[in-house]
Amino acid sequence: MSAHGSAGPSADSRAPVYMGLPHERVLRPRFWVALALSLPVIVLAMGGMLAPRWFHALDPRASAWAQLALTTPVFFWSGWFFLRRWWKSIRECDANMFTLTVTGTGAAYFYSVAAVLFGAAFPENLRGEHGAPLYFEATAFITTVVLLGQILEQRAHTRTDAAIRALMALAPTLAHRVRDGHEEDVPLDDIVPGDVLRVRPGEKIPVDGRLTEGASDIDEAMLTGEPEPAAKKTGDAVSAGTFNTTGSFLFRAERVGRETLLARIIRLVEEAQESEAPIQRLADRVSAWFVPGVVGIAGLTFVLWLWLGPAPALLPALVNAVSVLIIACPCALGLATPVSLVTGIGRGAQAGVLVKDAAALETLVTATTVLIDKTGTLTEGKPRVTSIHPENNLGENDLLALAASAESPGEHPLARALVLAARERNLPLAPVEDFRAEPGQGVSARVNGRRVEVGRAPAAAPARVDPPTTPNAHPATTRVGVTLDGTFAGTIALADPIKATTPEAIRELHRLGLKIFMVTGDREATARAVADELGLDGFHAGVTPARKQEIVREHQARGERVAFAGDGLNDAPALAAADVGIAMGTGTDVAMHSAGLVLVKGDLRALVKAVHLSRATLGNIRQNLFFAFFYNGLGIPVAAGLLYPFTGWLLSPMLAGVAMSLSSISVVTNALRLRHARL
């Protein structure tokens, strides 16, 4: 079994099921059919009020039969999975939003069917000018809206497969195996511990092992998040999926297949995401008591009217019981959460916050602690020249031009940083001859006929001339030394600078009451310097991807609600395990697949906006739930006939429908306010 193929089940082998519903690709065609059939039903039902001249000539009976024909497939085919979920909730005594939705839509549908077939037998006070009122549009509209909401929610739960696929793509499919002096390309399935493999410059390492011959600089950003490659020599360990930047080397395979570090990261992401409990929507929590209450009131209404009502008692008892169910029909409840979420998601996109999982907005409200990766999240993620210290009467520009020219053929991040700094100063780069790169040591080249060597400062010159330490050097600074024809010429300091917007974002997050900890694979001195400079509440340094996930769980075990922000593959397990994962849009695809929120520009100020957005959205949802129940709650006693003994007045199902519409209008209007929310 291959290293990448064995890490987890393939995306195609799994058919995600959430809340007892199938994958969105199954729900999607049912939604489009429901939408196509619901629109004419709504037009037929409401057209007489909106454009009476156009609909005056339409035969009411023909309209009624047309609505029945159009609504029936919406209710039974498009809403089939809701019906099945409703029956399960009844059988298991587990009241939820599906219980309320199908009870309400079913009451409206079957009442309307009875009105079409037997409307003439309804009591006169319950019939209008054109017969008994119909509520097919409520059934069709609610089913369509709830389908849309479920599709949006299902999409969020497919992100696991995307993350796993992105992780699997990091492993190469072939390896160069060396046996008895002969080299052959073999599939990863055939690699066993003890095999000797060759890795050339620009290739990914296929399995975990240790170098037996040669040296190189290995880009391990997927593991550590750090931009600077790690120098590897004989005896050093290398990991599957990391990238060989410079030299060619041989290494002995130690862990293959499911035992590689890459495979373990894949399992960590998979297990963490599968262990996430679905967020219980506010509507479901309310439904737990609202549904039994409504059904109980409807049943009591039927019994009391059958016992105490005027003859003939059966039909008024049925109609009034149905009126209770109709006025409690969750049209607004079906809109309360989805409309606010969709509007909030759109507002977030305008502010640079991409919401991949709508539940993340609800979770972020309760977050108490933010764990943040350093490289690429708090910092820019790539080294930049911070200071130049020339010697022997050289100027800063002269020293930088020499170093950048010598490094120009190289691919090392420090080399690219030197070349970038020279270009920013408009310094010309001289032609290079006899370029040589020594992994872990530096480069040497002939520039304008003179030998220039650039490397780590303590070993920059063959004569072992140690450059002076830069006064007040930042612990996060890397110094490179430059020699010219064997003579020490100076040092150039480089660092991964903190993003200019980071301090402001950290201050605002603190003001919002959040504790902030940095979690990084970098060394402790660097982490401490960055944490002190930003005023963080603490830091964890030198951690592996698995350890990052453990740190998330440790904070959660202390009762904290954890948001994790990161940008690299090494952050993926922690992003998946956190209560809400937040990825930088400038980071890796794996990180973005594993997160619920993506900050498009990689600017932490967008995290502040995300917190404001989550609080505004959840507040809006709570307001919508109030509107969803307020009108209906007032109307239920009236629909049950509470006023009849005193006034002789019954609530017509038509007025119940008006109350239902008013609550829906209130919900939609209130949700649209989020488009202008200040973030």
Side-chain angles (χ1 to χ4, degrees):
M1 188 174 287
S2 67
H4 58 293
S6 63
S10 67
D12 294 336
S13 69
R14 289 181 288 180
V17 175
Y18 177 65
M19 287 290 289
L21 300 180
H23 193 274
E24 61 147 321
R25 61 175 171 263
V26 178
L27 297 179
R28 200 183 307 127
R30 294 174 185 263
F31 164 73
W32 288 116
V33 169
L35 181 64
L37 297 179
S38 296
L39 290 177
V41 173
I42 294 172
V43 170
L44 288 171
M46 310 299 290
M49 291 183 286
L50 300 177
R53 288 187 178 182
W54 289 88
F55 287 85
H56 180 70
L58 184 63
D59 181 12
R61 293 292 297 168
S63 174
W65 281 101
Q67 292 179 55
L68 171 59
L70 292 168
T71 304
T72 298
V74 174
F75 183 65
F76 286 104
W77 187 76
S78 296
W80 166 248
F81 295 107
F82 300 154
L83 294 173
R84 193 170 66 179
R85 186 65 181 84
W86 173 84
W87 174 243
K88 181 180 179 182
S89 71
I90 297 298
R91 192 175 66 248
E92 298 178 358
C93 298
D94 176 28
N96 53 47
M97 184 174 176
F98 295 108
T99 315
L100 190 58
T101 299
V102 176
T103 299
T105 56
Y109 175 78
F110 288 110
Y111 170 86
S112 299
V113 170
V116 172
L117 299 177
F118 312 109
F122 278 32
E124 185 175 348
N125 64 330
L126 296 178
R127 283 186 279 128
E129 180 182 352
H130 301 294
L134 306 177
Y135 299 96
F136 288 118
E137 78 282 1
T139 298
F141 180 66
I142 294 168
T143 302
T144 304
V145 168
V146 175
L147 263 175
L148 175 61
Q150 290 304 311
I151 288 172
L152 293 175
E153 191 162 344
Q154 289 283 5
R155 285 184 178 177
H157 289 269
T158 61
R159 71 189 191 279
T160 299
D161 293 333
I164 299 302
R165 284 194 296 268
L167 284 165
M168 290 176 176
L170 292 171
T173 57
L174 296 175
H176 313 304
R177 184 168 61 191
V178 179
R179 281 185 177 175
D180 302 324
H182 298 287
E183 186 176 317
E184 60 178 344
D185 290 345
V186 296
L188 258 62
D189 290 336
D190 297 341
I191 301 300
V192 297
D195 283 347
V196 176
L197 309 176
R198 181 181 298 280
V199 180
R200 302 186 180 96
E203 293 182 339
K204 291 179 179 179
I205 296 171
V207 296
D208 294 356
R210 290 186 180 275
L211 268 66
T212 58
E213 181 182 320
S216 185
D217 288 330
I218 306 299
D219 183 350
E220 296 183 322
M222 59 163 280
L223 301 178
T224 65
E226 302 310 312
E228 184 177 344
K232 300 290 184 179
K233 60 184 184 301
T234 301
D236 288 343
V238 291
S239 299
T242 55
F243 183 75
N244 181 28
T245 62
T246 53
S248 176
F249 61 87
L250 297 177
F251 78 102
R252 189 178 305 280
E254 293 183 344
R255 291 187 297 272
V256 302
R258 293 181 62 85
E259 301 306 314
T260 65
L261 182 58
L262 175 60
R264 293 201 299 272
I265 292 176
I266 291 174
R267 289 200 298 275
L268 286 172
V269 173
E270 195 172 38
E271 291 167 4
Q273 297 216 53
E274 288 180 351
S275 68
E276 287 182 330
I279 289 196
Q280 181 73 27
R281 292 200 184 278
L282 291 174
D284 281 347
R285 293 196 287 271
V286 174
S287 297
W289 59 265
F290 184 77
V291 173
V294 169
V295 173
I297 292 172
L300 183 61
T301 299
F302 176 80
V303 171
L304 291 177
W305 273 93
L306 192 62
W307 177 31
L308 302 174
L314 178 60
L315 190 55
L318 285 172
V319 172
N320 287 324
V322 168
S323 294
V324 170
L325 291 175
I326 287 177
I327 201 168
C329 189
C331 184
L333 181 61
L335 292 169
T337 300
V339 174
S340 291
L341 288 175
V342 169
T343 307
I345 288 170
R347 180 67 184 94
Q350 294 175 346
V353 179
L354 176 61
V355 180
K356 294 176 68 269
D357 183 352
L361 282 178
E362 182 174 346
T363 309
L364 187 57
V365 171
T366 63
T368 59
T369 301
V370 181
L371 303 182
I372 303 182
D373 174 50
K374 178 180 74 70
T375 306
T377 306
L378 294 172
T379 67
E380 292 183 1
K382 52 188 177 182
R384 296 180 65 87
V385 172
T386 57
S387 61
I388 303 172
H389 307 277
E391 300 283 342
N392 300 327
N393 298 319
L394 281 176
E396 287 189 6
N397 287 347
D398 296 330
L399 181 64
L400 178 59
L402 284 171
S405 296
E407 290 275 17
S408 59
E411 293 297 327
H412 196 286
L414 296 181
R416 293 195 291 268
L418 291 170
V419 171
L420 176 62
R423 287 175 177 167
E424 288 176 346
R425 297 190 181 201
N426 296 318
L427 301 179
L429 301 183
V432 174
E433 299 175 342
D434 191 24
F435 174 83
R436 294 196 299 270
E438 295 292 334
Q441 297 299 317
V443 303
S444 66
R446 193 166 294 280
V447 180
N448 291 333
R450 306 186 69 178
R451 172 61 60 183
V452 177
E453 295 177 326
V454 184
R456 291 188 180 274
R464 303 296 182 192
V465 178
D466 288 340
T469 302
T470 304
N472 302 319
H474 195 287
T477 297
T478 297
R479 292 183 300 115
V480 297
V482 183
T483 64
L484 185 60
D485 291 331
T487 302
F488 178 69
T491 60
I492 300 176
L494 302 97
D496 180 10
I498 293 172
K499 292 179 181 178
T501 57
T502 296
E504 176 188 347
I506 296 298
R507 287 193 299 270
E508 183 62 17
L509 289 172
H510 273 141
R511 192 188 69 79
L512 290 171
L514 296 167
K515 293 183 178 180
I516 306 171
F517 296 84
M518 180 173 62
V519 184
T520 177
D522 207 347
R523 56 197 177 98
E524 183 172 354
T526 300
R528 186 179 301 278
V530 173
D532 289 345
E533 184 171 342
L534 292 174
L536 304 183
D537 295 290
F539 68 91
H540 304 271
V543 298
T544 63
R547 178 59 185 148
K548 286 188 176 184
Q549 189 184 74
E550 290 175 3
I551 290 169
V552 169
R553 298 198 188 283
E554 287 171 3
H555 280 272
Q556 290 171 329
R558 293 196 289 266
E560 301 173 20
R561 297 280 283 177
V562 177
F564 188 98
D567 74 328
L569 166 63
N570 61 309
D571 300 317
L575 286 167
D579 295 295
V580 56
I582 302 160
M584 301 294 110
T586 52
T588 65
D589 289 342
V590 176
M592 287 186 278
H593 286 314
S594 301
L597 300 175
V598 176
L599 309 184
V600 177
K601 296 182 180 179
D603 185 340
L604 273 181
R605 290 180 301 182
L607 176 54
V608 177
K609 294 180 180 179
V611 174
H612 287 300
L613 177 66
S614 68
R615 295 180 180 182
T617 302
L618 262 293
N620 193 270
I621 290 174
R622 292 189 182 101
Q623 294 165 5
N624 281 350
L625 288 172
F626 169 78
F627 288 126
F629 290 106
F630 179 71
Y631 296 105
N632 297 2
L634 289 179
I636 285 175
V638 178
L642 186 63
L643 300 180
Y644 183 79
F646 310 103
T647 65
W649 186 73
L650 292 174
L651 179 64
S652 166
M654 184 180 298
L655 293 179
V658 170
M660 195 167 57
S661 299
L662 283 174
S663 61
S664 300
I665 293 171
S666 301
V667 162
V668 172
T669 303
N670 186 58
L672 292 179
R673 293 191 307 110
L674 280 174
R675 293 186 301 179
H676 309 290
R678 294 187 61 182
L679 305 179

